């Protein structure tokens, strides 16, 4: 009897739950450089609140919390709150400079509405395809 030979195919990279635009990656890298190594990356999530129902959150992360989804994109570590993952799948974080300021923007395919002031959004959880 001969031993069966198996060939291993290279594993396809799993799609990232959240991606960064070039501008967002550059800005986060600048912020992290000024933090003098105190933080490992940024934590993103969503919370209930606001007139449209939910708001995005973004904060420094010193390390991963239990059950965090950790994404590394363009040299930046993004820690995603496990309660937010279904709301953020497919989201691109961008950084925009406008005439009167600059801010991070979440381009989320799961977002169904936003309030007039831009502080809160309505998001439908992603569905399995």
């Amino acid at each position: 009897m001969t031993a069966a030979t198996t060939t291993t195919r290279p594993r396809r990279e799993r799609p990232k739950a959240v991606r960064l635009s070039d501008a967002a990656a550059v800005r986060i890298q600048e912020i992290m450089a000024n933090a003098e190594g105190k933080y490992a990356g940024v934590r993103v999530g969503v919370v209930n609140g606001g007139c449209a129902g939910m708001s995005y959150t973004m904060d420094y992360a010193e390390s991963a919390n239990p059950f965090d989804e950790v994404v590394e994109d363009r040299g930046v570590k993004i820690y995603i709150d496990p309660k937010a993952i279904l709301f953020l799948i497919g989201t691109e974080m961008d950084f925009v400079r406008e005439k009167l300021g600059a801010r991070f923007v979440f381009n989320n395919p799961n977002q169904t509405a936003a309030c007039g002031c831009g502080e809160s959004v309505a998001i439908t959880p992603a569905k399995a395809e």
Side-chain angles (χ1 to χ4, degrees):
M1 186 180 268
T2 62
T5 58
T6 59
T7 58
T8 57
R9 287 190 249 164
R11 293 188 81 183
R12 186 176 72 162
E13 184 178 338
R14 185 173 135 197
K16 292 175 173 57
V18 174
R19 298 177 330 276
L20 297 175
S21 69
D22 289 335
V26 167
R27 182 62 184 135
I28 292 171
Q29 288 169 349
E30 289 170 353
I31 292 168
M32 299 306 283
N34 291 331
E36 300 174 354
K38 185 176 179 184
Y39 303 106
V42 295
R43 183 175 317 286
V44 296
V46 295
V47 293
N48 291 333
C51 51
M54 301 184 103
S55 295
Y56 294 107
T57 62
M58 186 172 162
D59 204 354
Y60 294 109
E62 292 182 11
S63 62
N65 288 336
F67 308 111
D68 274 353
E69 176 84 16
V70 181
V71 174
E72 190 160 348
D73 191 27
R74 301 175 194 265
V76 174
K77 280 194 179 179
I78 306 163
Y79 300 88
I80 305 170
D81 179 348
K83 293 176 278 185
I85 192 72
L86 287 178
F87 295 103
L88 295 174
I89 290 174
T91 298
E92 178 193 55
M93 284 178 54
D94 194 9
F95 183 73
V96 295
R97 295 183 189 276
E98 298 168 331
K99 193 172 188 174
L100 298 175
R103 62 192 171 103
F104 285 97
V105 176
F106 291 82
N107 298 315
N108 186 343
N110 306 307
Q111 183 175 313
T112 57
C115 69
C117 67
E119 292 295 318
S120 65
V121 295
I123 308 171
T124 305
K127 295 181 178 148
E129 292 182 15

